[in-house]
Amino acid sequence: MAIGTRALAIAAIAVVALVAAPPPAFAHNPLTGSDPEDGASVEQAPDQVELSFLAAVDANNAEFDVTGPDGSSVLAGSAEVDDKSVPAT
């Protein structure tokens, strides 16, 4: 096999390996929005808060808590996973 042919074969194998490799897995599902919005100040506590995520939320591997200004939990009801969003009361 000539040097040029060997180099071409190695390059082709490298390209196939790069294209065939699976994409990296993400360890976290990024938050894309919330209601009230992040950093918002509200006069009184809302009846519900909602978190929106980039991908569907796995209810078996998710934990949520809503906290007040002093850091204590104010989640009176429950957080229900609804595909990519999590409304909590």
Side-chain angles (χ1 to χ4, degrees):
M1 185 180 278
I3 293 175
T5 305
R6 185 177 299 157
L8 184 59
I10 291 171
I13 291 170
V15 168
V16 169
L18 288 173
V19 172
F26 294 103
H28 300 282
N29 188 359
L31 186 67
T32 59
S34 63
D35 183 22
E37 291 185 14
D38 183 27
S41 294
V42 294
E43 293 294 320
Q44 61 183 14
D47 292 331
Q48 174 178 297
V49 296
E50 186 165 347
L51 305 175
S52 300
F53 294 88
L54 182 63
V57 177
D58 180 359
N60 296 321
N61 293 312
E63 289 185 29
F64 301 93
D65 195 13
V66 180
T67 58
D70 64 354
S72 65
S73 179
V74 294
L75 188 60
S78 62
E80 300 288 331
V81 173
D82 182 18
D83 192 34
K84 295 180 182 179
S85 68
V86 181
T89 56

Coordinates of all heavy atoms in Angstrom, one line a residue:
M1 N 0.9 -1.2 0.0 CA 0.0 0.0 0.0 C 0.9 1.2 0.0 O 1.8 1.3 0.8 CB -0.9 0.0 1.2 CG -1.9 1.1 1.3 SD -3.0 1.0 2.8 CE -4.2 -0.2 2.3
A2 N 0.7 2.2 -0.9 CA 1.5 3.4 -1.0 C 1.2 4.3 0.2 O 0.1 4.2 0.9 CB 1.1 4.1 -2.3
I3 N 2.1 5.1 0.5 CA 2.0 6.1 1.7 C 0.8 6.9 1.5 O 0.0 7.1 2.5 CB 3.3 6.9 1.8 CG1 4.5 6.0 2.2 CG2 3.1 8.0 2.9 CD1 5.8 6.7 2.3
G4 N 0.5 7.5 0.3 CA -0.7 8.3 0.1 C -2.0 7.5 0.4 O -2.9 8.1 0.9
T5 N -2.0 6.3 -0.1 CA -3.2 5.5 0.1 C -3.4 5.1 1.5 O -4.5 5.2 2.1 CB -3.1 4.2 -0.7 OG1 -2.8 4.5 -2.1 CG2 -4.4 3.4 -0.7
R6 N -2.3 4.8 2.2 CA -2.4 4.5 3.7 C -2.9 5.8 4.4 O -3.7 5.6 5.3 CB -1.0 4.1 4.2 CG -1.1 3.7 5.6 CD 0.3 3.1 6.1 NE 0.6 2.0 5.3 CZ 1.9 1.5 5.2 NH1 2.9 2.1 5.7 NH2 2.1 0.5 4.5
A7 N -2.4 6.9 4.1 CA -2.8 8.2 4.8 C -4.2 8.4 4.6 O -5.0 8.8 5.5 CB -1.9 9.3 4.4
L8 N -4.7 8.2 3.3 CA -6.1 8.4 3.0 C -7.0 7.4 3.7 O -8.0 7.8 4.3 CB -6.3 8.3 1.5 CG -7.7 8.5 1.0 CD1 -8.1 10.0 1.3 CD2 -7.7 8.3 -0.6
A9 N -6.5 6.2 3.9 CA -7.3 5.2 4.6 C -7.4 5.5 6.1 O -8.5 5.4 6.7 CB -6.7 3.8 4.4
I10 N -6.3 6.0 6.7 CA -6.3 6.4 8.1 C -7.2 7.6 8.3 O -8.0 7.7 9.2 CB -4.9 6.7 8.6 CG1 -4.1 5.4 8.6 CG2 -4.9 7.4 9.9 CD1 -2.6 5.6 8.9
A11 N -7.2 8.6 7.4 CA -8.0 9.7 7.5 C -9.5 9.3 7.4 O -10.3 9.8 8.1 CB -7.7 10.8 6.4
A12 N -9.8 8.4 6.5 CA -11.2 8.0 6.3 C -11.7 7.3 7.6 O -12.8 7.5 8.0 CB -11.3 7.0 5.1
I13 N -10.8 6.4 8.2 CA -11.2 5.7 9.4 C -11.5 6.8 10.5 O -12.4 6.6 11.3 CB -10.2 4.7 9.8 CG1 -10.2 3.6 8.8 CG2 -10.4 4.2 11.2 CD1 -9.0 2.6 8.9
A14 N -10.6 7.8 10.6 CA -10.8 8.8 11.6 C -12.1 9.6 11.4 O -12.8 9.8 12.4 CB -9.6 9.8 11.6
V15 N -12.4 9.9 10.2 CA -13.7 10.6 9.9 C -14.9 9.8 10.3 O -15.8 10.2 11.0 CB -13.8 11.1 8.5 CG1 -15.2 11.5 8.1 CG2 -12.7 12.2 8.2
V16 N -14.8 8.5 9.9 CA -15.9 7.6 10.3 C -16.1 7.5 11.8 O -17.2 7.5 12.4 CB -15.7 6.2 9.6 CG1 -16.7 5.2 10.2 CG2 -15.9 6.3 8.1
A17 N -15.0 7.4 12.5 CA -15.0 7.3 14.0 C -15.6 8.5 14.6 O -16.4 8.4 15.6 CB -13.6 7.0 14.5
L18 N -15.2 9.7 14.1 CA -15.8 10.9 14.6 C -17.3 11.1 14.4 O -18.0 11.5 15.2 CB -15.0 12.1 14.1 CG -13.6 12.3 14.6 CD1 -12.9 13.4 13.8 CD2 -13.6 12.6 16.0
V19 N -17.7 10.7 13.2 CA -19.1 10.8 12.8 C -20.0 9.8 13.5 O -21.1 10.0 13.9 CB -19.3 10.7 11.3 CG1 -20.7 10.6 10.9 CG2 -18.6 11.9 10.6
A20 N -19.4 8.6 13.7 CA -20.2 7.5 14.3 C -20.2 7.6 15.9 O -21.0 6.9 16.5 CB -19.6 6.2 13.9
A21 N -19.4 8.4 16.4 CA -19.3 8.5 17.9 C -20.6 9.1 18.4 O -21.1 10.0 17.8 CB -18.1 9.3 18.3
P22 N -21.1 8.6 19.5 CA -22.4 9.2 20.1 C -22.1 10.6 20.7 O -21.0 10.9 21.1 CB -22.7 8.2 21.2 CG -21.5 7.5 21.6 CD -20.6 7.5 20.3
P23 N -23.1 11.4 20.7 CA -22.9 12.8 21.2 C -22.7 12.7 22.7 O -23.2 11.7 23.4 CB -24.2 13.5 20.9 CG -25.2 12.4 20.7 CD -24.5 11.2 20.2
P24 N -22.1 13.7 23.3 CA -21.9 13.6 24.8 C -23.2 13.7 25.5 O -24.2 14.4 25.1 CB -21.0 14.9 25.1 CG -21.3 15.8 23.9 CD -21.6 14.9 22.7
A25 N -23.3 13.0 26.6 CA -24.5 13.0 27.4 C -24.5 14.2 28.4 O -23.4 14.6 28.9 CB -24.6 11.8 28.2
F26 N -25.6 14.9 28.6 CA -25.7 16.0 29.5 C -26.1 15.5 30.9 O -27.1 14.7 31.0 CB -26.7 17.0 29.0 CG -26.2 17.7 27.7 CD1 -26.8 17.3 26.5 CD2 -25.2 18.6 27.7 CE1 -26.3 17.9 25.3 CE2 -24.8 19.2 26.6 CZ -25.3 18.9 25.4
A27 N -25.4 15.9 31.9 CA -25.7 15.5 33.2 C -26.9 16.2 33.8 O -27.6 15.7 34.8 CB -24.5 15.6 34.1
H28 N -27.2 17.4 33.3 CA -28.3 18.2 33.9 C -29.3 18.6 32.8 O -28.9 18.8 31.6 CB -27.7 19.4 34.6 CG -26.8 19.0 35.7 ND1 -27.3 18.6 36.9 CD2 -25.5 19.0 35.8 CE1 -26.2 18.4 37.7 NE2 -25.1 18.6 37.0
N29 N -30.5 18.8 33.1 CA -31.5 19.3 32.2 C -31.6 20.8 32.5 O -32.2 21.2 33.5 CB -32.8 18.6 32.5 CG -33.9 18.9 31.5 OD1 -33.7 19.7 30.6 ND2 -35.1 18.3 31.7
P30 N -31.1 21.7 31.6 CA -31.1 23.1 31.9 C -32.5 23.7 32.0 O -33.4 23.4 31.3 CB -30.4 23.7 30.7 CG -29.7 22.6 30.0 CD -30.5 21.3 30.3
L31 N -32.6 24.6 33.0 CA -33.8 25.4 33.2 C -33.9 26.4 32.1 O -32.9 27.2 31.8 CB -33.8 26.1 34.6 CG -35.0 26.8 35.0 CD1 -36.1 25.9 35.3 CD2 -34.7 27.6 36.3
T32 N -35.0 26.5 31.4 CA -35.2 27.5 30.3 C -36.1 28.7 30.7 O -36.1 29.7 30.0 CB -35.8 26.8 29.0 OG1 -37.0 26.3 29.3 CG2 -34.8 25.8 28.5
G33 N -36.8 28.5 31.8 CA -37.7 29.7 32.2 C -38.4 29.3 33.5 O -38.4 28.2 33.9
S34 N -39.0 30.3 34.0 CA -39.8 30.1 35.2 C -40.9 31.2 35.3 O -40.8 32.3 34.7 CB -38.9 30.2 36.5 OG -38.4 31.5 36.6
D35 N -41.9 30.9 36.0 CA -43.0 31.9 36.3 C -43.3 31.8 37.8 O -43.8 30.8 38.2 CB -44.2 31.5 35.4 CG -45.4 32.5 35.6 OD1 -45.1 33.7 36.0 OD2 -46.5 32.2 35.3
P36 N -43.1 32.9 38.5 CA -42.5 34.1 38.1 C -41.1 33.9 37.6 O -40.4 33.0 37.9 CB -42.4 34.9 39.4 CG -43.3 34.2 40.4 CD -43.4 32.8 39.9
E37 N -40.6 34.9 36.8 CA -39.3 34.9 36.2 C -38.2 34.9 37.3 O -38.4 35.4 38.4 CB -39.1 36.0 35.2 CG -40.0 35.9 34.0 CD -39.7 37.0 33.0 OE1 -38.7 37.6 33.1 OE2 -40.5 37.1 32.1
D38 N -37.0 34.4 36.9 CA -35.9 34.4 37.8 C -35.5 35.8 38.2 O -35.5 36.7 37.4 CB -34.7 33.7 37.1 CG -33.5 33.6 38.0 OD1 -33.6 33.5 39.2 OD2 -32.4 33.6 37.4
G39 N -35.4 36.0 39.5 CA -35.0 37.3 40.1 C -36.2 38.2 40.3 O -36.0 39.4 40.7
A40 N -37.4 37.8 39.9 CA -38.6 38.7 40.1 C -38.9 38.9 41.5 O -38.7 38.0 42.4 CB -39.8 38.1 39.4
S41 N -39.4 40.0 41.9 CA -40.0 40.3 43.2 C -41.5 40.4 43.1 O -42.0 41.0 42.2 CB -39.4 41.7 43.7 OG -38.1 41.6 43.9
V42 N -42.2 39.7 44.0 CA -43.6 39.7 44.0 C -44.1 40.3 45.3 O -43.5 40.2 46.3 CB -44.2 38.3 43.8 CG1 -43.8 37.8 42.4 CG2 -43.6 37.3 44.8
E43 N -45.3 41.0 45.2 CA -45.8 41.6 46.4 C -46.4 40.5 47.4 O -46.2 40.7 48.6 CB -47.0 42.6 46.0 CG -46.5 43.8 45.3 CD -45.7 44.7 46.1 OE1 -46.0 44.9 47.3 OE2 -44.7 45.2 45.6
Q44 N -47.0 39.5 46.8 CA -47.5 38.4 47.7 C -47.1 37.1 47.0 O -46.9 37.1 45.8 CB -49.0 38.5 47.9 CG -49.8 38.4 46.6 CD -51.3 38.6 46.9 OE1 -51.6 39.0 48.0 NE2 -52.1 38.3 46.0
A45 N -47.1 36.0 47.8 CA -46.7 34.7 47.2 C -47.7 34.3 46.1 O -48.9 34.4 46.3 CB -46.7 33.7 48.3
P46 N -47.2 33.8 45.0 CA -48.1 33.4 43.9 C -48.8 32.1 44.3 O -48.3 31.3 45.2 CB -47.2 33.2 42.7 CG -45.9 33.0 43.3 CD -45.8 33.8 44.6
D47 N -49.9 31.8 43.8 CA -50.6 30.5 44.0 C -49.8 29.3 43.4 O -50.0 28.2 43.9 CB -52.0 30.5 43.4 CG -52.9 31.5 44.1 OD1 -52.7 31.7 45.3 OD2 -53.9 32.0 43.5
Q48 N -49.1 29.6 42.4 CA -48.3 28.5 41.7 C -47.0 29.1 41.1 O -47.0 30.3 40.7 CB -49.2 28.0 40.6 CG -48.4 27.0 39.7 CD -49.3 26.4 38.6 OE1 -50.3 25.7 39.0 NE2 -49.0 26.6 37.4
V49 N -46.0 28.3 41.2 CA -44.8 28.6 40.4 C -44.6 27.5 39.4 O -45.0 26.4 39.6 CB -43.5 28.8 41.3 CG1 -43.7 29.9 42.3 CG2 -43.3 27.5 42.1
E50 N -43.9 27.9 38.3 CA -43.7 26.9 37.2 C -42.3 27.0 36.7 O -41.8 28.1 36.4 CB -44.7 27.1 36.1 CG -44.6 26.0 35.0 CD -45.8 26.0 34.1 OE1 -46.8 26.6 34.4 OE2 -45.7 25.3 33.1
L51 N -41.6 25.8 36.6 CA -40.3 25.8 36.1 C -40.4 25.1 34.7 O -41.1 24.1 34.5 CB -39.4 24.9 37.0 CG -39.3 25.4 38.5 CD1 -38.5 24.4 39.3 CD2 -38.7 26.8 38.5
S52 N -39.7 25.6 33.7 CA -39.6 25.0 32.4 C -38.2 24.6 32.1 O -37.2 25.3 32.3 CB -40.1 26.1 31.3 OG -41.4 26.5 31.6
F53 N -38.1 23.4 31.5 CA -36.8 22.8 31.2 C -36.6 22.5 29.7 O -37.6 22.5 29.0 CB -36.6 21.5 32.0 CG -36.6 21.7 33.5 CD1 -37.7 21.8 34.2 CD2 -35.4 21.9 34.1 CE1 -37.7 22.0 35.6 CE2 -35.3 22.2 35.5 CZ -36.5 22.2 36.2
L54 N -35.3 22.3 29.3 CA -35.0 22.1 27.9 C -35.6 20.8 27.4 O -36.1 20.7 26.3 CB -33.5 22.1 27.7 CG -33.0 21.9 26.3 CD1 -33.4 23.1 25.4 CD2 -31.5 21.9 26.3
A55 N -35.5 19.8 28.2 CA -36.0 18.4 27.9 C -37.1 17.9 28.9 O -37.3 18.6 29.9 CB -34.8 17.4 27.8
A56 N -37.7 16.9 28.5 CA -38.7 16.3 29.4 C -38.1 16.0 30.8 O -36.9 15.5 30.8 CB -39.3 15.0 28.8
V57 N -38.8 16.2 31.8 CA -38.3 15.9 33.2 C -38.7 14.5 33.6 O -39.8 14.1 33.4 CB -38.9 17.0 34.2 CG1 -38.5 16.7 35.6 CG2 -38.6 18.4 33.8
D58 N -37.7 13.8 34.1 CA -37.9 12.5 34.6 C -38.4 12.6 36.1 O -37.6 12.9 37.0 CB -36.6 11.7 34.5 CG -36.7 10.2 35.0 OD1 -37.9 9.8 35.5 OD2 -35.7 9.5 35.0
A59 N -39.6 12.3 36.3 CA -40.2 12.4 37.6 C -39.6 11.5 38.7 O -39.6 11.8 39.9 CB -41.7 12.2 37.6
N60 N -39.0 10.4 38.2 CA -38.3 9.5 39.2 C -37.0 10.0 39.6 O -36.4 9.5 40.6 CB -38.2 8.1 38.5 CG -39.5 7.5 38.2 OD1 -40.5 7.6 39.0 ND2 -39.6 6.9 37.1
N61 N -36.4 11.0 38.9 CA -35.1 11.5 39.3 C -35.1 13.0 39.5 O -34.0 13.6 39.3 CB -34.1 11.1 38.2 CG -33.9 9.6 38.1 OD1 -33.6 9.0 39.1 ND2 -33.9 9.1 36.9
A62 N -36.2 13.5 40.0 CA -36.2 15.0 40.2 C -36.8 15.3 41.5 O -37.6 14.6 42.1 CB -37.2 15.6 39.1
E63 N -36.2 16.3 42.1 CA -36.6 16.8 43.4 C -36.7 18.4 43.3 O -35.9 19.0 42.7 CB -35.7 16.5 44.5 CG -35.7 15.0 44.9 CD -34.8 14.8 46.1 OE1 -34.6 15.7 46.9 OE2 -34.2 13.7 46.2
F64 N -37.8 18.9 43.9 CA -38.0 20.4 43.8 C -38.4 20.9 45.1 O -39.1 20.2 45.9 CB -39.1 20.7 42.8 CG -38.8 20.2 41.4 CD1 -39.3 19.0 40.9 CD2 -38.1 21.0 40.5 CE1 -39.0 18.5 39.7 CE2 -37.8 20.5 39.3 CZ -38.2 19.3 38.8
D65 N -38.1 22.1 45.4 CA -38.5 22.8 46.6 C -38.7 24.3 46.2 O -37.9 24.8 45.4 CB -37.6 22.6 47.8 CG -38.2 23.0 49.1 OD1 -39.4 23.2 49.1 OD2 -37.5 23.2 50.1
V66 N -39.7 24.9 46.8 CA -39.8 26.4 46.6 C -39.6 27.0 48.0 O -40.1 26.6 49.0 CB -41.3 26.7 46.2 CG1 -41.5 28.2 46.0 CG2 -41.6 25.9 44.9
T67 N -38.7 28.0 48.0 CA -38.3 28.6 49.2 C -38.6 30.1 49.2 O -38.6 30.7 48.2 CB -36.8 28.4 49.5 OG1 -36.0 29.0 48.4 CG2 -36.4 26.9 49.7
G68 N -38.8 30.6 50.4 CA -39.1 32.0 50.6 C -37.8 32.8 50.8 O -36.7 32.2 50.7
P69 N -37.9 34.1 51.0 CA -36.7 34.9 51.2 C -35.8 34.5 52.3 O -34.6 34.7 52.2 CB -37.3 36.3 51.5 CG -38.7 36.3 51.1 CD -39.1 34.8 51.2
D70 N -36.3 33.8 53.3 CA -35.5 33.4 54.4 C -34.9 32.0 54.2 O -34.2 31.4 55.1 CB -36.3 33.4 55.7 CG -37.5 32.5 55.8 OD1 -37.8 31.8 54.7 OD2 -38.1 32.4 56.8
G71 N -35.2 31.4 53.1 CA -34.7 30.0 52.8 C -35.6 28.9 53.2 O -35.3 27.7 52.9
S72 N -36.7 29.2 53.9 CA -37.5 28.1 54.4 C -38.5 27.7 53.3 O -38.8 28.5 52.4 CB -38.3 28.6 55.6 OG -39.2 29.6 55.3
S73 N -38.9 26.4 53.3 CA -39.8 25.9 52.3 C -41.1 26.5 52.4 O -41.7 26.7 53.4 CB -39.9 24.4 52.4 OG -40.7 23.8 51.5
V74 N -41.7 26.9 51.2 CA -43.0 27.4 51.1 C -43.9 26.6 50.2 O -45.0 27.1 49.8 CB -43.0 28.9 50.7 CG1 -42.3 29.8 51.7 CG2 -42.4 29.1 49.3
L75 N -43.5 25.4 49.9 CA -44.2 24.6 49.0 C -45.4 24.0 49.8 O -45.2 23.1 50.6 CB -43.3 23.5 48.4 CG -43.9 22.6 47.3 CD1 -44.3 23.4 46.1 CD2 -42.9 21.5 46.9
A76 N -46.6 24.5 49.6 CA -47.7 24.0 50.4 C -48.4 22.8 49.8 O -48.9 21.9 50.5 CB -48.8 25.1 50.4
G77 N -48.3 22.6 48.5 CA -48.9 21.4 47.8 C -47.9 20.5 47.3 O -47.0 20.0 48.1
S78 N -47.9 20.3 46.0 CA -47.0 19.4 45.4 C -46.5 19.9 44.1 O -47.0 20.8 43.5 CB -47.7 18.0 45.2 OG -48.7 18.2 44.3
A79 N -45.4 19.3 43.6 CA -44.9 19.6 42.3 C -45.2 18.5 41.4 O -44.8 17.3 41.7 CB -43.4 19.9 42.4
E80 N -45.8 18.7 40.3 CA -46.2 17.7 39.4 C -45.5 17.8 38.1 O -45.5 18.9 37.5 CB -47.7 17.7 39.1 CG -48.6 17.6 40.3 CD -48.6 16.2 40.8 OE1 -48.5 15.2 40.0 OE2 -48.8 16.0 42.0
V81 N -44.8 16.8 37.6 CA -44.0 16.9 36.4 C -45.0 16.8 35.2 O -45.9 15.9 35.2 CB -43.0 15.8 36.3 CG1 -42.3 15.7 34.9 CG2 -42.0 15.9 37.4
D82 N -44.9 17.7 34.3 CA -45.8 17.7 33.1 C -44.8 17.9 31.8 O -44.6 19.1 31.4 CB -46.8 18.8 33.2 CG -47.7 18.9 31.9 OD1 -47.8 17.9 31.2 OD2 -48.4 19.9 31.7
D83 N -44.2 16.8 31.4 CA -43.3 16.8 30.2 C -42.1 17.7 30.6 O -41.3 17.4 31.4 CB -44.0 17.2 29.0 CG -43.1 17.0 27.7 OD1 -42.4 16.0 27.7 OD2 -43.2 17.8 26.8
K84 N -42.0 18.9 30.0 CA -40.9 19.8 30.1 C -41.1 20.9 31.2 O -40.3 21.7 31.4 CB -40.5 20.5 28.8 CG -40.0 19.6 27.8 CD -39.7 20.3 26.5 CE -39.3 19.4 25.4 NZ -39.0 20.2 24.2
S85 N -42.2 20.9 31.9 CA -42.5 21.9 32.9 C -42.9 21.2 34.2 O -43.4 20.1 34.2 CB -43.6 22.8 32.4 OG -44.8 22.2 32.3
V86 N -42.7 22.0 35.3 CA -43.1 21.5 36.6 C -43.9 22.6 37.3 O -43.2 23.5 37.9 CB -41.8 21.1 37.4 CG1 -42.3 20.6 38.8 CG2 -41.0 20.0 36.7
P87 N -45.2 22.5 37.3 CA -45.9 23.5 38.1 C -46.0 23.0 39.6 O -46.1 21.8 39.8 CB -47.3 23.5 37.5 CG -47.4 22.2 36.7 CD -46.0 21.8 36.4
A88 N -45.8 24.0 40.5 CA -45.9 23.6 41.9 C -46.8 24.6 42.6 O -46.8 25.8 42.4 CB -44.4 23.7 42.5
T89 N -47.5 24.0 43.6 CA -48.5 24.9 44.4 C -48.0 24.9 45.8 O -47.3 24.0 46.3 CB -49.9 24.3 44.3 OG1 -49.9 23.0 44.7 CG2 -50.4 24.5 42.8

